[in-house]
Amino acid sequence: MKIVSIKDIFKKKVLINSIIQIQGWIKNKRNSKSNLLFIDIYDGSCVNTLQVIVNKNLLIDDEDNEIIKSTPGCSVSVQGKLIYSLNVEQKFEMHVNKIKVVGWIQNPDSYPMSSKKHSMEHLRNFAHLRPRTNIIGCISRIRSSVFYSIHKFFYKNNYYWVSSPIITSLNAEGAGDMFSVQYSKNNDKKKKFYKNFFGKEVFLTVSGQLSIEAYACALSKVYTLGPIFRAENSNTSRHLSEFWMLEAELAFSNLKNIIEVVQKMLKYIISFILKNNTNDLLFFEKNFNDNIIDKLENFLENKIKKINYKDAIKILQDNKIIKTDSSYLDIELNLEHEKFLVDKYFKKTVIIQNYPKNFKPFYMRINNDKKTVSAFDVLFPQIGEIIGGSQREERILYLDKRIHELNLNINDYQWYRELRFYGTVPHAGFGLGLERLIMYITGIKNIKDVIPFPRTPKNANF
Ligand code: 4AD
Ligand code: MG
């Protein structure tokens, strides 16, 4: 007996009229007057369910008969003949020969994932069960495709994937709170924690950038994709304490080159999702009245708007969003400003470049004006910053000056500085927050819903 996934059933018409087996869970179950039982089954391979039709008169086995008592959520194994459905909405259905309940729902009345609609907030209390809902299923499949398309894009463009370390002694951003890593001795009943396992204090990484710069200065084109940890105490809809970041680094390149890579990559990812996750996107359109497919297609057709930081501040001052006439060098963009520029003024994705050096980390390359750095942020509608990047300071004298200005301990950055002693090279890179990109693609409003098990201040359940 051929066991097939529901995704394959909807893709390969060749299975029509053959006897096949599917394995999944009951979404809905209906009785008809004519002694037929209609059961919608999902297996997570796609958003579609397959309707299987059981003729109760033909249930002879005790095992088969148990299906009558089954409820939504039970896992089942079903054999039968696949046929075209007469119902227009449903392309295929199965006439069942044999059906077996594999796992029961204990206390169906209190099953938290009952078929009624639940709010996203409610679902967060059941992070272990929420993948069973259509919405989390769609997000999960899109999330998987986003990661796959990133690897595919970089592989095709001759970048190498480098695994940057998670445990580190450095704050790669030079600022920001980090989680410290301690250890406890196996036989210590008091569960005391010690810091000095590595001979120095270590933390969970806030960025893999510095490590992949070392590899870019040898392999030319590299990227890393892994979990990032930040102990910022910001409980917003766009911040996580643990999130996933893609970082890429390109040797012999400048700000302009890296922005081109970013644009090409974003278009690649989004066209990949439009092509391979169409049904998941249609689910969001249908249920949230959101034109996300149009939105994504528009993104592909339009050029991203690019402006200088100085001009962004001028627009905000002209429109009275910023009420002082201070120099742009003294005004730091905040979320409200970004929202105005992206959602109201340009009404599209915007790249802001050449930030005042005072608002940016030590590693960004100083421009000729000595006041700004070759940095850029990509701001998306509704979400804000999804990508931040820059050309890196490859000149040792300038780098050291910045390390001093920012009161960082130069000894901590010795190996990073050595990259500038030995065959230094202009290079640039960026970091993309995966969850924020997935929010943009799916239209989901809270970042906690696009990562399987969110970690935020006061919340590390599951
Ligand atoms: O702008 P960030 O801090 O840049 C860096 O870490 C650089 N080292 C990247 C590089 O040039 N290699 O972070 C990059 C992106 C942000 O644009 C945002 O999308 C995401 O990471 N991000 C977060 N996502 C979720 N929760 C948080 N707390 C995040 N902090 C940053
Ligand atoms: Mg940033």
Side-chain angles (χ1 to χ4, degrees), residues 360 377 385 388:
K360 289 291 183 188
D377 275 1
E385 180 191 339

PDB file of all heavy atoms in Angstrom, residues 360 377 385 388, ligand 2:
ATOM      1  N   LYS A 360      25.648  54.602  15.558  1.00  0.00           N
ATOM      2  CA  LYS A 360      25.951  53.282  14.982  1.00  0.00           C
ATOM      3  C   LYS A 360      27.184  52.647  15.627  1.00  0.00           C
ATOM      4  O   LYS A 360      28.010  53.343  16.225  1.00  0.00           O
ATOM      5  CB  LYS A 360      26.153  53.442  13.473  1.00  0.00           C
ATOM      6  CG  LYS A 360      24.847  53.756  12.708  1.00  0.00           C
ATOM      7  CD  LYS A 360      23.912  52.546  12.704  1.00  0.00           C
ATOM      8  CE  LYS A 360      22.656  52.771  11.917  1.00  0.00           C
ATOM      9  NZ  LYS A 360      21.687  51.686  12.066  1.00  0.00           N
ATOM     10  N   ASP A 377      19.879  50.881   6.614  1.00  0.00           N
ATOM     11  CA  ASP A 377      18.803  50.065   7.189  1.00  0.00           C
ATOM     12  C   ASP A 377      17.741  49.911   6.120  1.00  0.00           C
ATOM     13  O   ASP A 377      17.491  50.845   5.366  1.00  0.00           O
ATOM     14  CB  ASP A 377      18.158  50.780   8.396  1.00  0.00           C
ATOM     15  CG  ASP A 377      18.924  50.521   9.691  1.00  0.00           C
ATOM     16  OD1 ASP A 377      19.955  49.821   9.656  1.00  0.00           O
ATOM     17  OD2 ASP A 377      18.477  51.016  10.740  1.00  0.00           O
ATOM     18  N   GLU A 385      12.393  48.296  10.622  1.00  0.00           N
ATOM     19  CA  GLU A 385      13.692  47.736  10.230  1.00  0.00           C
ATOM     20  C   GLU A 385      13.655  46.207  10.161  1.00  0.00           C
ATOM     21  O   GLU A 385      13.330  45.544  11.139  1.00  0.00           O
ATOM     22  CB  GLU A 385      14.765  48.181  11.239  1.00  0.00           C
ATOM     23  CG  GLU A 385      16.135  47.637  10.893  1.00  0.00           C
ATOM     24  CD  GLU A 385      17.158  47.824  12.005  1.00  0.00           C
ATOM     25  OE1 GLU A 385      16.967  48.691  12.870  1.00  0.00           O
ATOM     26  OE2 GLU A 385      18.149  47.064  11.999  1.00  0.00           O
ATOM     27  N   GLY A 388      19.777  45.499   8.696  1.00  0.00           N
ATOM     28  CA  GLY A 388      20.745  46.555   8.966  1.00  0.00           C
ATOM     29  C   GLY A 388      22.094  46.091   8.455  1.00  0.00           C
ATOM     30  O   GLY A 388      22.448  44.914   8.600  1.00  0.00           O
TER      31      GLY A 388
HETATM   32 MG    MG B   2      19.922  47.776  13.328  1.00  0.00          MG
END
